[in-house]
């Protein structure tokens, strides 16, 4: 058979592989959070997952979308950011509802001024407007407070991006910040494990999914010649994932003496 006779088969196959890779890129990032979401919903316990993971991914993907307006990269990467933002908002909603339902006689915290007279009587806020106390930031009592914070961040960064969109240096820096923020997702978990000399309470399944997903994502960046920021930070993210897996092996086979100051239960997971 002549080589050209196989073109009718190879071209559709290449197209299918391309579509499959794009689909995996768009939806692959949210897969690790599906079992976590189901576990939280089933057990009504959100202590094993930190909402700061959602914060990091929301910031990273909002910045990535803004970067797209300055430098149009592949559409699957843009849709990945949109899907991830929706997923993180769903995780936040579930975690907030579960945490509040399990808290008794705890002072309510909010991003904006309290609008409930009942809440003001029970626990008057220390501040009249925005609560920027770092001890309670991103630990609010209503999902709407998180939405307000995300919209405020999006509005401010979007306006700044609009003003500086013609600056090559600003656009490239924005792209670097977007992917670097996401690459740092595992650093708090890495440090927390080292601090506690243990990986107890951490979802090993999620880390394994992170590692496989980040590896696929980095290869996708390199093969599709994505902006260099994506490839560099993708490699960094893979190295962090591997370091966490090494901690799992070391602390399970060679238990360390626990530190005297244990972490607060609500922050057992990475920041």
């Amino acid at each position: 058979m002549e080589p050209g006779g196989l073109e009718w088969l190879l071209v559709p196959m290449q197209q299918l592989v391309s579509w499959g890779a794009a689909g995996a890129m768009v939806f692959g990032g949210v897969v690790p959070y599906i079992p976590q979401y189901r576990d939280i919903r089933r057990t009504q316990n959100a202590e094993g997952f930190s909402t700061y993971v959602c914060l990091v991914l929301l910031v990273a993907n909002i910045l990535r979308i803004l970067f797209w307006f300055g430098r149009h990269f592949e559409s699957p990467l843009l849709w990945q950011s949109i899907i991830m933002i929706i997923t993180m908002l769903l995780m936040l909603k579930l975690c907030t509802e579960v945490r509040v339902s399990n808290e008794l006689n705890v002072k309510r915290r909010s991003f904006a001024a309290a609008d409930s007279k009942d809440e003001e009587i029970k626990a008057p806020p220390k501040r009249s407007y925005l609560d920027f106390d770092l001890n309670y930031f991103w630990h609010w009592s209503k999902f709407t407070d998180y939405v307000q914070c995300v919209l405020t961040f999006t509005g401010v960064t979007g306006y700044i991006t609009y003003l500086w969109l013609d600056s090559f240096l600003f656009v490239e820096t924005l792209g670097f910040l977007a992917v670097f923020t996401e690459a740092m997702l595992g650093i708090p978990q890495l440090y927390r494990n080292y601090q506690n000399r243990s990986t107890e309470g951490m979802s090993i399944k999620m880390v394994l999914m992170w590692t496989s997903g980040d590896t696929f994502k980095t290869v996708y960046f390199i093969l599709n010649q994505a902006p260099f920021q994506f490839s560099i930070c993708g490699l960094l993210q893979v190295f962090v994932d591997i370091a966490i897996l090494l901690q799992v092996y070391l602390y399970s086979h060679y238990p360390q003496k626990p530190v005297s100051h244990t972490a607060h239960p609500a922050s057992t997971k990475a920041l």
Side-chain angles (χ1 to χ4, degrees):
M1 181 180 294
E2 297 182 0
L6 293 177
E7 289 185 2
W8 68 273
L9 179 62
L10 292 178
V11 172
M13 287 292 292
Q14 291 175 349
Q15 190 65 47
L16 285 175
V17 171
S18 177
W19 287 345
M25 195 67 217
V26 172
F27 297 102
V30 306
V31 171
Y33 300 96
I34 295 176
Q36 187 79 57
Y37 184 93
R38 295 178 63 183
D39 287 344
I40 294 173
R41 192 178 183 87
R42 177 177 55 82
T43 62
Q44 290 297 296
N45 186 344
E47 291 183 356
F49 179 81
S50 172
T51 54
Y52 282 97
V53 171
C54 300
L55 173 61
V56 171
L57 289 175
L58 283 169
V59 170
N61 286 282
I62 288 171
L63 293 179
R64 186 193 288 187
I65 291 174
L66 294 176
F67 176 52
W68 182 85
F69 287 98
R71 183 175 176 182
H72 287 12
F73 45 81
E74 283 198 329
S75 296
L77 301 181
L78 178 64
W79 280 106
Q80 181 200 38
S81 292
I82 296 173
I83 297 297
M84 182 61 75
I85 288 174
I86 295 173
T87 302
M88 290 301 102
L89 289 175
L90 290 174
M91 289 293 296
L92 273 175
K93 186 175 187 298
L94 177 63
C95 291
T96 304
E97 291 173 350
V98 169
R99 188 184 70 247
V100 171
S101 66
N102 291 335
E103 289 179 343
L104 298 175
N105 299 322
V106 175
K107 180 180 289 187
R108 301 306 187 195
R109 293 282 174 171
S110 61
F111 173 71
D115 57 358
S116 171
K117 294 182 179 179
D118 183 54
E119 284 188 4
E120 291 177 354
I121 294 173
K122 290 182 180 179
K126 291 183 178 181
R127 292 171 171 78
S128 299
Y129 296 101
L130 301 185
D131 185 357
F132 287 116
D133 187 341
L134 291 179
N135 293 323
Y136 295 97
F137 177 79
W138 207 252
H139 195 69
W140 301 308
S141 306
K142 293 183 178 179
F143 173 65
T144 52
D145 292 308
Y146 294 96
V147 174
Q148 289 174 14
C149 182
V150 170
L151 290 177
T152 300
F153 175 79
T154 304
V156 172
T157 53
Y159 181 67
I160 294 173
T161 302
Y162 173 76
L163 294 178
W164 291 86
L165 199 57
D166 294 331
S167 170
F168 174 80
L169 180 60
F170 174 83
V171 171
E172 292 301 313
T173 302
L174 182 65
F176 175 77
L177 288 175
V179 290
F180 182 75
T181 301
E182 184 175 355
M184 292 295 100
L185 179 64
I187 294 295
Q189 181 70 67
L190 188 70
Y191 176 73
R192 182 61 53 78
N193 294 343
Y194 171 78
Q195 194 177 41
N196 295 339
R197 303 294 193 275
S198 171
T199 56
E200 184 179 357
M202 188 187 70
S203 175
I204 310 301
K205 185 187 299 183
M206 175 177 287
V207 178
L208 287 171
M209 290 191 201
W210 274 352
T211 306
S212 58
D214 292 339
T215 301
F216 170 81
K217 182 171 60 178
T218 303
V219 172
Y220 183 91
F221 291 157
I222 296 173
L223 293 180
N224 288 274
Q225 299 180 339
F228 74 96
Q229 299 99 323
F230 286 72
S231 300
I232 294 174
C233 292
L235 289 171
L236 177 60
Q237 202 166 0
V238 172
F239 289 147
V240 172
D241 294 338
I242 293 174
I244 294 176
L245 290 175
L246 286 175
Q247 285 182 324
V248 173
Y249 174 79
L250 290 174
Y251 293 147
S252 61
H253 288 77
Y254 306 99
Q256 305 290 309
K257 183 178 180 181
V259 293
S260 57
H261 55 286
T262 55
H264 190 278
S267 54
T268 302
K269 183 70 179 170
L271 282 181

